[in-house]
Amino acid sequence: MLKIVWMNEQNYKSVAAIEARCFSQPWSERTFFEELSNPNAHTYLALDEGVPAGFLSVWEVCGEVSVNNIAVCEGSRRKGIARALLQAMLDELSAAQSVTLEVRKSNAAAIALYESFGFERVGERRDFYSHPTENALLYTKFLNGEN
Ligand SMILES: CC(C)(COP(=O)(O)OP(=O)(O)OC[C@H]1O[C@@H](n2cnc3c(N)ncnc32)[C@H](O)[C@@H]1OP(=O)(O)O)[C@@H](O)C(=O)NCCC(=O)NCCS
């Protein structure tokens, strides 16, 4: 069974471990710990049969949500976990006006995920990423209270 929970003092190290496995320049364990006291931060952890399998980190400021990161462990992909994480966030932050994110231009899996949620491509940031250097595509989902 898949369960989405909030990140907390007991599980934040699991979130940091998934981040470290999935990204070349990961946020540290300490950064995730500090997120626990950030009132604008919302971090969701997916438990697949009780095992930490993915997470989503966003900030919400004045009705504008920005996605910091989403990742699912390699062995748990294509099971709807990222979809469930995004949906949990949209359900909780349904009063927000928009959700914005950057994604590597070559990241076909993430782009397909976002487009399936109705995110629209609104821009491109040159050389936004390093290790390796790559442009970012900017996507926004405009919310209308029916998410
Ligand atoms: C992108 C990522 C989070 C997707 O997680 P996931 O749990 O496998 O995604 P889901 O199973 O919920 O997939 C939902 C939809 O996204 C799209 N999608 C996901 N992975 C895909 C892939 N490899 N190729 C094409 N489409 C893909 C599909 O539309 C999919 O729906 P479907 O399975 O019904 O076709 C995961 O691949 C990942 O962690 N990648 C590494 C980290 C990363 O790049 N994060 C994004 C940073 S912007």
Side-chain angles (χ1 to χ4, degrees), residues 48-106:
D48 190 9
E49 307 296 344
V51 179
F55 77 93
L56 167 64
S57 156
V58 307
W59 290 331
E60 192 267 341
V61 180
C62 299
E64 294 188 1
V65 178
S66 54
V67 174
N68 298 313
N69 239 337
I70 181 168
V72 173
C73 297
E74 217 164 332
S76 300
R77 291 181 188 162
R78 281 328 265 278
K79 292 169 63 180
I81 294 177
R83 196 184 290 288
L85 284 161
L86 278 171
Q87 194 58 55
M89 179 273 290
L90 291 169
D91 289 346
E92 190 191 0
L93 303 179
S94 59
Q97 289 130 38
S98 63
V99 182
T100 295
L101 56 87
E102 289 102 6
V103 58
R104 280 184 184 269
K105 201 169 183 177
S106 65

Side-chain angles (χ1 to χ4, degrees), residues 13-14 28 30 44 55 67 85 94 101 108 119 125 129 136 138:
K13 290 185 180 175
S14 300
S28 66
R30 185 186 172 84
Y44 306 86
F55 77 93
V67 174
L85 284 161
S94 59
L101 56 87
F119 281 81
R125 295 194 205 281
Y129 292 105
L138 194 61

